[in-house]
Amino acid sequence: MLFRRHGYAATGLKRIATEAEAPFGSIYHFFPGGKQQLAEDMIRTSGPEYGRMVMALLDSVPDPAESLVHAFEAAAHDLAAADYADACPIGTMALEVASSNEVLRVATAEVFAEWVDTAAHWFGRWVDDPETARSLAQSMVMMLEGAFMLSRAARDPEPLRVAGRSMADLLRTAVARTTGGASSGS
């Protein structure tokens, strides 16, 4: 949570040990590579967990367009409830390390790629064209991450809500274009 909230540079190992109520030396016992190894483990562990949470939200509403609105609304609610401090754990790290730490950049890129692949499969349930499904998946990740930034900066959940409605519109348009308007979830 510290990396998610404060980023890589602002999160020190002493603070991590204090928050974990663990002896400082235990960090190096479990993570001999120090802070970078700990951060990489966090990315590779929390990324898939976060992805599963998003997919569970998407699968919780039968209509895919309504599902997108619901998932983005849940993100807006959760971000506001966290006083705009806890957005996406991977996005926070990716913005900070993309040009300064290759190991962590690769880890965040791989998590984002996994999310896009998983979401493309989900969109593929309603869109016949794999390229369109992948484009929708990329758009969803981009809109979610961008909306988190705008919401955090403005301390306003509305950008997440707008992004959810926009994604629903993109999906409806894609379904109409690729399947002639038929949708198994609408």
Side-chain angles (χ1 to χ4, degrees), residues 1 8 19 23 35 39-40 61-62 66 68 73 75 91 97 106 118 125 140 142 145 155 158 164 167 185:
M1 175 139 101
Y8 183 71
E19 290 283 326
K35 183 176 171 179
E40 182 181 13
V61 176
E66 289 177 21
L68 287 161
E73 179 60 40
V97 303
V106 168
T118 301
R125 292 164 41 193
M140 182 181 77
M142 291 183 294
E145 295 301 330
R155 298 185 67 77
E158 191 59 20
M167 274 309 307

Side-chain angles (χ1 to χ4, degrees), residues 23-113:
F24 182 75
S26 67
I27 291 174
Y28 286 102
H29 174 76
F30 292 103
F31 300 98
K35 183 176 171 179
Q36 178 177 287
Q37 184 182 5
L38 178 61
E40 182 181 13
D41 184 72
M42 181 280 301
I43 291 165
R44 295 189 183 281
T45 302
S46 65
E49 288 176 18
Y50 192 78
R52 284 189 291 275
M53 180 191 70
V54 170
M55 295 314 298
L57 280 169
L58 291 174
D59 286 336
S60 70
V61 176
D63 179 83
E66 289 177 21
S67 175
L68 287 161
V69 172
H70 169 72
F72 277 79
E73 179 60 40
H77 177 269
D78 290 349
L79 185 61
D83 198 28
Y84 301 92
D86 294 327
C88 171
I90 308 310
T92 300
M93 292 292 285
L95 285 171
E96 184 177 355
V97 303
S99 61
S100 62
N101 186 311
E102 185 65 7
V103 169
L104 300 181
R105 183 203 64 77
V106 168
T108 59
E110 288 173 357
V111 167
F112 283 135

